[in-house]
Amino acid sequence: MLQAKQRIRMQSVISRLVYGAVALSLLSSSSFNQQQGYYFLPVAEAADEKPYQILCTTTRRYVKVGSYKIRCHTFKRLAEHFGKNVEVTVVPQEQLYSDWKGGDNTELVAKKFDATVVIKRAIPPEERFGKMFMDVVDSYTITHETLDPAYDAIVQSIHHGNDIFANRTFHVVEHWYNSFPQDMMASTDLPVVPLPPVNPVGILKLGTLWTNEDEECPYLHAANMQYTCISEKYRIELWYQDYFEPKERARVDAYLADPDQGTGRLYFELFWKFDVLVVPAKAGNPAKLRFGNVQRAVSQMRSGVPILLEIYGDILEDFMDEYNYPCAYVVPGKNYNARHEYMTFEKAVQQMKKPDVRRACQEAGIRIAKDYSPFRIVKKQLEGMGYKGEFNYPKGTAKA
C-alpha cells in the first residue's frame, strides 16, 4: 500500500505535524473548562509549600497553532509532572484583563505569578506577571530592539541568542523530542517500546515525512532502494489509515483512542514500516538553518529507526560537531560551506544497506535523543525561569 503513495508532494511541516499531534495526545488526558477555555492537567505530586506559579500565554488568534499547543499545553503537562512543586496556568492573553467578555475571570485577573512566558506575542509587563520571558520559537521578526527590556528571551539555538539578543539575558532551550505521552512522561534512556529490529534486506525501504508548504519534496535516487515521500495534511488522525493494511487498523485505531499513546504513537507505527528514515534539510528559510532546531531528526531517532540526515546549515553542522553522527549526507553543490567531509546520498544509501551500519545509526540516534528528552529540556526551562524546587527524576536518571 505504501508503494501507491510514493513520490507524493508534501504540504505542511514535520515539526508542525508531530508538534500538534503530540500536543493533542497529551491534551486528551486533560480536562477542559469549556466556559473559560483552558486546560487543567494533574500535578504530579502535591507539596505543602506554595507552588511556583507560571503563566503561559499567547493571543486567542494563535491558541490553535502548534507552537502554542506544545510550548504551553504540553509544557504544562510536563512541567507539572517533572517539577515537584510547579503550577502552570495556560490561558489566552485576552482573558488576563478585566474587560474580558467570555466569563468570570476575576480570580485569574487577581492571581500573582512568579514567572510568565509568552509565545511569540508580548504583553505589557505587570507586577502580577512576575519575571517575563518571550519564547521566540520561529518568530524571527522579534529582535532585541522590538522586545520590551523587561523580557528575557528564550531561543532554541546559541546562534539566535548571540546574533539577535546578545545585549539582554537569553536562555537556550532546545526542542524536546516528540514521541507519544507514555514515552515522553517516562523520559527514560530507551523508549518504552522495543526498538525495531535491524535485519538484512534486498531492497532498502526508505521514507521521508516532509510535510512542507513552501518546498517540494527533495528528489532522491539511488540504486536498489525503494523511496517513499509522504505528503498529507496537518492531522495524522485524518489520513493514517491510508498507510496501514486493513488487518492492522484495529491495532492502530486502539492506539489512537488510548490517551497514553495517541497520535504520537501513530507516527512510530508509520516510521517502523521503513528500514531507514531520510530527514532532508529544510532550506527554504535561511533563518531556520541558523536559528532553528534538530527536533525533526531527534524525534525520529527516538523511534529507533535508523536516520539518514542531510547536513546543511549551521544548526546541523553544530549537531555534527557535537555528535559526529555516522549516517549523514550532503547534496553536492548545495552545502558548499560544509565543515566536514560527508557522503553523497547515493553513497550513504549503499553504506546503509549493511545491517551493521544501520544498527550503528540506530544506537547513535537513541543516545543522541536522550539529550533531548522532555525531562532534560523542561528541567532546563524551569530552572531558567527561576524555579528552585525539586524534580521528579525519571527512572535511571542521575540527579544533577
Side-chain angles (χ1 to χ4, degrees), residues 12 16-17 19-21 66 69 232-236 239 267:
S12 53
R16 291 171 52 204
L17 237 155
Y19 230 29
K69 290 178 178 178
E232 297 289 352
K233 297 294 183 180
Y234 173 59
R235 298 170 59 187
I236 188 173
W239 51 261
Y267 285 101

Side-chain angles (χ1 to χ4, degrees), residues 6-8 10 204-210 216-230 276-281 296 307-311 328-332 334 343-350 352:
Q6 290 180 357
R7 303 303 314 147
I8 307 175
M10 313 233 154
L204 201 64
K205 294 171 63 177
L206 295 89
T208 293
L209 186 57
W210 168 273
E216 296 288 336
C217 180
Y219 176 74
L220 299 172
H221 176 73
N224 297 318
M225 75 162 191
Q226 174 186 307
Y227 178 63
T228 301
C229 224
I230 298 176
V276 175
L277 293 171
V278 183
V279 182
R296 290 187 303 142
I307 302 301
L308 181 54
L309 179 63
E310 182 189 358
I311 306 304
Y329 73 97
V330 294
V331 176
K334 178 180 176 182
M343 293 180 286
T344 63
F345 177 76
E346 292 82 358
K347 186 172 181 179
V349 169
Q350 297 308 310
M352 295 196 78

Side-chain angles (χ1 to χ4, degrees), residues 37-48:
Y38 52 93
Y39 289 85
F40 297 93
L41 294 150
V43 180
E45 180 177 324
D48 293 333

Side-chain angles (χ1 to χ4, degrees), residues 49 54 158 180 303:
E49 63 185 51
I54 296 175
I158 189 66
F180 52 92
S303 75

Side-chain angles (χ1 to χ4, degrees), residues 306-321:
I307 302 301
L308 181 54
L309 179 63
E310 182 189 358
I311 306 304
Y312 182 51
D314 291 316
I315 291 299
L316 290 166
E317 292 279 11
D318 291 348
F319 179 84
M320 292 300 290
D321 287 346

Side-chain angles (χ1 to χ4, degrees), residues 296-370:
R296 290 187 303 142
V298 297
S299 294
Q300 293 182 49
M301 287 175 176
R302 182 67 177 179
S303 75
V305 179
I307 302 301
L308 181 54
L309 179 63
E310 182 189 358
I311 306 304
Y312 182 51
D314 291 316
I315 291 299
L316 290 166
E317 292 279 11
D318 291 348
F319 179 84
M320 292 300 290
D321 287 346
E322 181 169 2
Y323 293 109
N324 192 28
Y325 180 64
C327 298
Y329 73 97
V330 294
V331 176
K334 178 180 176 182
N335 193 355
Y336 50 85
N337 288 322
R339 301 176 196 167
H340 308 281
E341 292 290 330
Y342 299 106
M343 293 180 286
T344 63
F345 177 76
E346 292 82 358
K347 186 172 181 179
V349 169
Q350 297 308 310
Q351 289 295 312
M352 295 196 78
K353 289 180 180 177
K354 304 172 184 177
D356 59 331
V357 173
R358 280 183 279 129
R359 196 169 292 112
C361 297
Q362 180 189 60
E363 293 171 355
I366 292 296
R367 289 196 304 271
I368 292 168
K370 180 176 67 174

Side-chain angles (χ1 to χ4, degrees), residues 2-70:
L2 282 172
Q3 287 86 339
K5 289 284 184 178
Q6 290 180 357
R7 303 303 314 147
I8 307 175
R9 296 183 60 191
M10 313 233 154
Q11 300 300 324
S12 53
V13 180
I14 173 117
S15 53
R16 291 171 52 204
L17 237 155
V18 182
Y19 230 29
V22 176
L24 288 171
S25 294
L26 287 167
L27 292 178
S28 63
S29 59
S30 67
S31 59
F32 184 67
N33 183 316
Q34 186 67 41
Q35 180 183 21
Q36 299 298 331
Y38 52 93
Y39 289 85
F40 297 93
L41 294 150
V43 180
E45 180 177 324
D48 293 333
E49 63 185 51
K50 179 183 176 183
Y52 193 79
Q53 296 285 347
I54 296 175
L55 169 66
C56 193
T57 184
T58 193
T59 65
R60 288 181 63 82
R61 178 182 176 186
Y62 291 98
V63 296
K64 294 184 179 180
V65 175
S67 57
Y68 173 73
K69 290 178 178 178
I70 204 158

Side-chain angles (χ1 to χ4, degrees), residues 201-215:
V201 294
I203 300 295
L204 201 64
K205 294 171 63 177
L206 295 89
T208 293
L209 186 57
W210 168 273
T211 51
N212 191 322
E213 294 176 343
D214 301 319
E215 301 174 54

